[in-house]
């Protein structure tokens, strides 16, 4: 396969740059929305735990929107704090 690698050349990862950031954000949001939908489905199936499951679904939907920016903000803040010493 080395002849193929020489022909194609070095390839960057698809998870770099703006495209990678968008793909990671969309993947996280998609996963957490699906988790929230499962919570809602379980709430319909188990009425005794419906209130708790609906709250969990709401939290999952909110996290789907804010978790990636929050993680990025925290990571940037920690790196700035570490560079200050």
């Amino acid at each position: 396969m080395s002849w193929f690698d020489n022909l194609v050349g070095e390839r960057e990862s698809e998870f770099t740059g703006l495209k990678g950031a968008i793909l990671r954000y969309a993947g996280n949001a998609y996963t957490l929305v699906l988790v929230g939908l499962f919570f809602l489905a379980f709430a319909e199936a188990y009425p005794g735990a419906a209130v708790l499951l609906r709250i969990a679904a709401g939290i999952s939907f909110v996290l789907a929107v804010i978790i990636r920016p929050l993680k990025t903000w925290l990571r940037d803040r920690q790196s700035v704090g570490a560079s200050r010493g």
Side-chain angles (χ1 to χ4, degrees), residues 28-69:
N28 287 339
Y30 180 74
T31 302
L32 287 169
V33 166
L34 284 179
V35 168
L37 290 174
F38 275 115
F39 282 140
L40 288 177
F42 288 136
E44 292 291 324
Y46 302 105
V51 173
L52 182 64
L53 289 169
R54 287 182 191 275
I55 291 171
I59 291 170
S60 178
F61 291 142
V62 169
L63 286 177
V65 176
I66 68 167
I67 194 73
R68 189 72 193 175

